[in-house]
Amino acid sequence: MGRGRRRGGPARRVLLLGGIGAVLGVAVAQQNGSGDAWWRGPVASKPRKPGELDHKGASWTAASEANWRRADRPDDYRVDRVVIHVVQGSFPVALKVFKDPKHKAAAHYVVRKDGHIAQMVRELDVAYHSGNRSWNQRSIGIEHEGFVHRKSSFTDAMYAASARLTADICRRYGIPIDRQHIVGHVEVPGADHTDPGPYWDWPRYLRLVRAARAGLDREAEAAAARTEPAG
């Protein structure tokens, strides 16, 4: 989500310090997929329960319905990307603006510095997080508390929790763990954002995601073995 320094210019932020969210323009809303009336129609049919989680390590806090749209992913849109964001602000600020219907944007998850994860949009739904309609449809967005030009923002606990989340997403959707499928917001076509910025340690992050995925696979194998009938 965040915007950092580009070509030596001043830092620009989507989230304003003090908890005030920037109101996005009509063009951005349309690019995100929120500007067309039909886009808000009752297109989803999968059963839903209030507060239901996709990642068991998260807690639920709902984004405004103006900042995402109902869908039936992956049945209607294939999910094959994870987009990494940095808030350019605090965890509470991220939650506040994603709950604000005027903000017109939200991510599926927000990761706090201590590793706590809030889920704000169901994965089967399309969150307006990338600024690109087709990428919104195909991806899951993960925000991280902090600032792109503060290396201290990215703690060990944050990396570990985020990696477990991404590994879980990749396992469930069959997404390869590589830099073509796990990308930064800055890499989304047409994006004018710079997050996660120069201090996000991509080699370390991918190592952690792969290790977490291996752990999830071992857990699944052990669970399957426990449920097999005795031969």
Side-chain angles (χ1 to χ4, degrees), residues 24-39:
L24 302 185
V26 173
V28 174
Q30 290 177 339
Q31 186 180 41
N32 271 323
S34 61
D36 300 315
W38 66 270
W39 216 244

Side-chain angles (χ1 to χ4, degrees), residues 52-168:
E52 191 171 17
L53 295 168
D54 295 300
H55 179 66
K56 66 180 181 180
S59 63
W60 178 259
T61 179
S64 168
E65 292 186 5
N67 299 335
W68 56 273
R69 75 169 180 86
R70 291 170 71 92
D72 277 336
R73 301 192 308 171
D75 292 345
D76 49 3
Y77 302 109
R78 179 184 178 187
V79 177
D80 63 0
R81 296 288 190 278
V82 176
V83 180
I84 302 298
H85 302 260
V86 173
V87 173
Q88 288 296 87
S90 69
F91 181 86
V93 167
L95 269 55
K96 182 174 182 177
V97 297
F98 290 164
K99 290 173 178 289
D100 181 355
K102 295 179 300 211
H103 190 60
K104 303 300 181 186
H108 293 90
Y109 296 96
V110 184
V111 184
R112 202 165 61 193
K113 287 184 179 181
D114 64 0
H116 175 76
I117 299 172
Q119 181 169 3
M120 303 196 72
V121 180
R122 288 292 309 278
E123 290 178 9
L124 75 170
D125 293 321
V126 175
Y128 306 147
H129 66 95
S130 77
N132 180 308
R133 177 179 293 173
S134 65
W135 275 68
N136 286 343
Q137 292 170 172
R138 73 190 300 179
S139 67
I140 292 172
I142 305 176
E143 283 280 359
H144 297 79
E145 179 180 28
F147 299 86
V148 296
H149 281 91
R150 292 185 189 174
K151 190 174 182 179
S152 60
S153 293
F154 310 129
T155 65
D156 292 345
M158 173 183 283
Y159 273 123
S162 178
R164 287 192 296 270
L165 170 58
T166 296
D168 186 28

